[in-house]
Amino acid sequence: MCGRFTLNQSAEALAQFFHVEPVLDLAADFNIAPTQMVATVLQNPEGEKREFQQLHWGLIPSWAKDAGMGAKLINARAETVAEKPSFRSAFKHRRCLVLADGFYEWQRQQGKKQPFYFRLEDGQPFGFAGLWEKWRSPANEEIISCTILTTAANELLQPIHDRMPVILEPKDYDLWLDSQVQTPQTLQQLLRPYPAPAMISYPVSTLVNNSRHNSPECIIPLSEEKTPTNQLN
């Protein structure tokens, strides 16, 4: 699963990388947790242009009786997303990029959960494959929410966890965002593990275990003298 991630990029960098304007000047976030607002990119079906939006993390299906259901739907499995009632409509019509530059996974070690930080080797931001949905409460309050798709772990993640978030290649952004593309087989081809050689990981402080801790300390390697490396090398 993907339960925490980071986004520490300037608005200018995000606008340039994802080809979208304007982007809000976001504060650096080193510990993004479920139910928080997250930065996303959607495609306007009318103008065919990319749009930046902040969405509630935890997808609330349009038919849900209350917003609390979203806390259980922070992730969607790529293998079954086209079939699950909570996700199948959004998978066809409402896909997005959830913006990030790293994420955390935990490994059980001697009865404790040790967090590891994963990011791209070149330090660039990236887009998780996401879905979005509109929900309206009985009091007529509208919430636009999203979920992050997950797939089988690549070789770098396998020792830590058997799942990983789907990180899309920039060349696939247009296809993923195009609401006119609705064939599951076409979309499923994009939902593959990201190449392990292009990523690095290292253990970090358990500070990140508490979502109230949100500082650069969350992504500092446990051993300062240890340079982050791809563990496959």
Side-chain angles (χ1 to χ4, degrees), residues 50-115:
R50 295 181 184 180
E51 296 182 351
F52 175 87
Q53 287 197 39
Q54 287 188 286
L55 305 183
H56 172 93
W57 183 17
L59 188 139
I60 309 168
S62 59
W63 42 262
K65 293 183 178 180
D66 61 77
M69 187 173 183
K72 302 176 182 179
L73 300 178
I74 64 169
N75 292 152
R77 292 178 68 92
E79 297 87 343
T80 58
V81 67
E83 307 160 7
K84 293 291 185 179
S86 298
F87 305 121
R88 62 191 176 198
S89 177
F91 184 59
K92 274 191 175 183
H93 306 289
R94 292 175 293 279
R95 299 182 297 273
C96 64
L97 304 175
V98 179
L99 310 190
D101 53 18
F103 63 94
Y104 302 97
E105 280 298 351
W106 282 260
Q107 181 184 57
R108 187 163 293 279
Q109 297 180 354
Q110 299 177 342
K112 297 182 180 180
K113 295 179 70 176
Q114 172 60 52

Side-chain angles (χ1 to χ4, degrees), residues 209-231:
N209 293 358
N210 188 328
S211 61
R212 289 178 295 180
H213 293 140
N214 183 8
S215 72
E217 292 178 83
C218 292
I219 63 171
I220 295 176
L222 273 185
S223 176
E224 283 289 346
E225 67 272 9
K226 179 181 178 181
T227 302
T229 59
N230 185 310
Q231 295 176 351

